[in-house]
Amino acid sequence: MNNGEVRSFTTRFNGISHVLNGQVGITDPTETRIKGVPGKDVHPQMFPAIWDTGATGTVITSQVVEGCNLKPTGAAKVYGVNGSHNANCYLVDVWLPNGVIITNVRAVEGQINGASVLIGMNIISLGDFAISNYRGKTTFSFRIPSLAETDYVNSHHSQNSAKSDKIGRNELCPCNSGKKYKKCCGKTKS
């Protein structure tokens, strides 16, 4: 784990991305404990991963199971878009790009289009996760542990009220609507 130290990473795409992907490392937790200090004696196998806020848990493919020589720890009923089925469960250590090792993650074996690992909410909910598509380019960022709430509604209102004294009524609105300030966020209420 990260011992309370704040760690983060950001992934930028050249355009709008409909899939949040990258690389993560996977190791067998028993290997980490036998060999010693994580990151010193143990080197993870790297796999392509997809981050999915619509998935409850982490999923690994048979490629990960075979590549890391994982042994099942049990089975679970898995629910997906194509119905439900039984799948093997494994305990894995997940190595994120920011140097954080999430230990003893329960992962189920399944099929994933375009990746070998699916990072679900069991990992995403441990930190702060943000996506933006500013200027037509997708950026996603993750930090652990969680440090603050993100609230775009309150942020937008406080930015507009703080800037209202400095913005001319005929200038373009800072919310990027393309409208003049007087016809958008600076509109006086009657």
Side-chain angles (χ1 to χ4, degrees), residues 9 17-21 49-59 79 81 112 117-132 139-142:
F9 73 89
S17 179
H18 299 286
V19 178
L20 302 175
N21 56 12
I50 293 174
W51 292 68
D52 186 352
T53 59
T56 304
T58 296
V59 179
Y79 299 90
V81 294
I112 308 165
V117 179
L118 184 142
I119 303 295
M121 288 303 293
N122 61 333
I123 290 178
I124 295 170
S125 64
L126 298 174
D128 295 325
F129 182 80
I131 304 167
S132 67
T139 300
F140 93 89
S141 194
F142 180 74

Side-chain angles (χ1 to χ4, degrees), residues 80-113:
V81 294
N82 296 324
S84 64
H85 65 280
N86 290 326
N88 285 332
C89 295
Y90 301 87
L91 282 182
V92 295
D93 289 348
V94 180
W95 302 54
L96 302 179
N98 55 358
V100 172
I101 304 167
I102 310 296
T103 58
N104 296 313
V105 174
R106 183 176 180 258
V108 296
E109 187 174 356
Q111 295 179 349
I112 308 165
N113 292 331

Side-chain angles (χ1 to χ4, degrees), residues 1 21-22 28 41 63 67 76 81 114-116 118 134 137 144 177 184:
M1 218 36 175
N21 56 12
D28 181 334
D41 302 327
Q63 175 191 6
V81 294
S116 299
L118 184 142
Y134 184 63
K137 294 184 179 183
I144 189 169
S177 66
C184 191

